[in-house]
Amino acid sequence: MRLLKRSWLQLLLKLTVAMGSLGMLFLLSRPKTGWDPTYILRYSWLEYTDADGSPEKVCNCSAILQGEREALEQAKILAITKDFHKSVQIPNEYYINATQDCRKFKSSRKYLTFPLSQEEEDFPLAYSMVVHHKVQNFERLLRAIYAPQNIYCIHVDKKSEASVVSAIRAITSCFPNVFMVSQRVSVVYSAWPRVQADLNCMADLYDASSKWKYFINLCGQDFPLKTNLEIVRILRSLRGGNSLESEELPEEKKWRVSNVHQIVDGQIQGAGKAKEPPPFNLPILSGNAYIVVNRGYIRSVLEDNRVQALIEWANDTYSPDEFLWATIQRIPGVPGSTWPNPKYDMTDINAVARLVKWQWHEGSQGSPEAVYPECQGNHVRAICVYGVGDLQWMLEQHHLFANKFDTDTDPIAVYCLEKYLRQKALAELH
């Protein structure tokens, strides 16, 4: 009976996709007990089309994703227009008010409230999301990755403005599988609290459900490059392995782990003394804050005595998020880990966790020194904040997520990526 219901629902979705704008309204429900027609709602659906009323609809996303110069130039001009920017911004108060009616909020914001396939339902994921501002960015990210079989822990910086906290708390209250972390911390850039935020979510996610298969951590300015089904299939292909940057620690970064650091007035600084060597003579590897790891890896983080000792040792280092996960990944016996031998080193380009354009690795097309093309947006702390001109290249990459996006600087890049992913997710039903 359950399979029959799902087949009926998928057939309905296919018909809706085929009908296009004429099929924007269809019947949908997933009642708690039984298939009761009285629960069925009229649901304004499909993808981000003109019917959505969004100001970005004037852009030709298909042409943008194909790299057509005229469409890109029009989008870039629009993105710097003051009136356009004002029209696309969603204030925090909107989320606080709109979530008073959760059913209406999820309908109007077009959340996928049921699994699109049995394959996805059987392979739930766990997400940690560390946020400190830009609620609109966060909500659009959540909407893009939301599926009812997954589970989401949200860490909002303890220093965040009250309106940010209230808006995100209101959003999470509308979803049974999205929750605020049990213990918030004041995040300090390049210091231990950035790691602690993820650790707190890891513990909450591990305790909340035993069903999820993989853990992925995000920040509020990430965005997916793949549909949920594509993510599931890529993770299944790892066959229990993990995918994250983990390579030899460069000589110029060794000071980060050989000197004691402390937080003073909200900033990290050296304490003027050397650190003891790491426990168990563990080799310290270089990586980054963003990882794709299996449930067993998270169990090791929370329970393995070697990892616990490493965590204790690392909490007074500089930028521990850029070596801790990479080092754990090379500890023998950690599920999904690889041997610490350099032949197992993995760069961020080869891992699937995150696509980031670092300013010093960019270059003109055809340049042998360039790792990737020049940023088509702007840079923040040497990281590319993507523009519409980056989209075509990004979608050719194998990574699951990319960083950074900002609806304040280029909302069209996010909009076109949203539209592409939604259309692709529905097309996968065929």
Side-chain angles (χ1 to χ4, degrees), residues 177-196:
N177 54 333
V178 183
F179 60 87
M180 301 283 276
V181 69
S182 60
Q183 188 172 353
R184 293 164 58 202
V185 299
S186 293
V187 176
V188 177
Y189 184 72
S190 295
W192 180 255
R194 173 62 189 85
V195 173
Q196 191 64 55

Side-chain angles (χ1 to χ4, degrees), residues 14 114 124 153 189 239 304 315 333 340 364 400:
K14 290 178 183 179
F114 50 90
C153 173
Y189 184 72
R239 298 178 182 274
D304 190 307
N315 64 19
S364 58
L400 307 185

Side-chain angles (χ1 to χ4, degrees), residues 3-13 27-29 35 40:
L3 289 176
L4 181 61
K5 291 171 186 175
R6 183 171 292 106
S7 298
W8 181 88
L9 183 58
Q10 290 179 341
L11 176 61
L12 191 54
L13 274 169
L27 299 176
L28 169 67
S29 175
W35 192 252
I40 294 176

Side-chain angles (χ1 to χ4, degrees), residues 318-334:
Y318 183 90
S319 206
D321 56 338
E322 294 189 0
F323 73 82
L324 180 64
W325 313 125
T327 298
I328 296 170
Q329 170 62 9
R330 310 297 282 277
I331 296 177
V334 171

Side-chain angles (χ1 to χ4, degrees), residues 197-228:
D198 267 330
L199 282 173
N200 291 353
C201 264
M202 286 176 179
D204 287 353
L205 289 164
Y206 192 81
D207 291 341
S209 170
S210 61
K211 295 181 179 179
W212 56 265
K213 312 295 185 182
Y214 269 82
F215 168 91
I216 301 173
N217 62 340
L218 305 173
C219 77
Q221 289 187 263
D222 289 326
F223 213 79
L225 301 179
K226 304 285 188 288
T227 66
N228 188 73

Side-chain angles (χ1 to χ4, degrees), residues 148-328:
Q149 71 273 13
N150 296 340
I151 185 170
Y152 307 82
C153 173
I154 317 301
H155 182 285
V156 183
D157 195 327
K158 214 170 183 177
K159 304 187 302 296
S160 294
E161 295 179 3
S163 66
V164 171
V165 179
S166 297
I168 293 178
R169 192 182 299 279
I171 293 166
T172 63
S173 71
C174 281
F175 302 92
N177 54 333
V178 183
F179 60 87
M180 301 283 276
V181 69
S182 60
Q183 188 172 353
R184 293 164 58 202
V185 299
S186 293
V187 176
V188 177
Y189 184 72
S190 295
W192 180 255
R194 173 62 189 85
V195 173
Q196 191 64 55
D198 267 330
L199 282 173
N200 291 353
C201 264
M202 286 176 179
D204 287 353
L205 289 164
Y206 192 81
D207 291 341
S209 170
S210 61
K211 295 181 179 179
W212 56 265
K213 312 295 185 182
Y214 269 82
F215 168 91
I216 301 173
N217 62 340
L218 305 173
C219 77
Q221 289 187 263
D222 289 326
F223 213 79
L225 301 179
K226 304 285 188 288
T227 66
N228 188 73
L229 179 59
E230 288 177 312
I231 291 173
V232 164
R233 287 177 174 171
I234 289 169
L235 296 183
R236 288 171 66 93
S237 74
L238 294 177
R239 298 178 182 274
N242 306 316
S243 189
L244 64 156
E245 180 184 352
S246 181
E247 53 187 337
E248 184 180 358
L249 186 68
E251 192 65 37
E252 63 269 20
K253 289 186 177 181
K254 289 184 177 178
W255 63 270
R256 297 182 174 190
V257 298
S258 58
N259 297 290
V260 174
H261 288 78
Q262 58 190 1
I263 297 172
V264 179
D265 297 328
Q267 302 288 327
I268 186 169
Q269 63 183 41
K273 58 181 180 179
K275 277 187 66 61
E276 294 293 324
F280 306 107
N281 293 317
L282 291 171
I284 302 301
L285 281 297
S286 178
N288 63 43
Y290 300 105
I291 61 178
V292 172
V293 295
N294 64 40
R295 184 178 175 85
Y297 179 104
I298 299 301
R299 184 176 65 250
S300 292
V301 168
L302 301 174
E303 299 176 0
D304 190 307
N305 290 335
R306 297 168 300 170
V307 177
Q308 292 297 305
L310 177 64
I311 287 172
E312 180 66 26
W313 176 85
N315 64 19
D316 58 1
T317 59
Y318 183 90
S319 206
D321 56 338
E322 294 189 0
F323 73 82
L324 180 64
W325 313 125
T327 298
I328 296 170

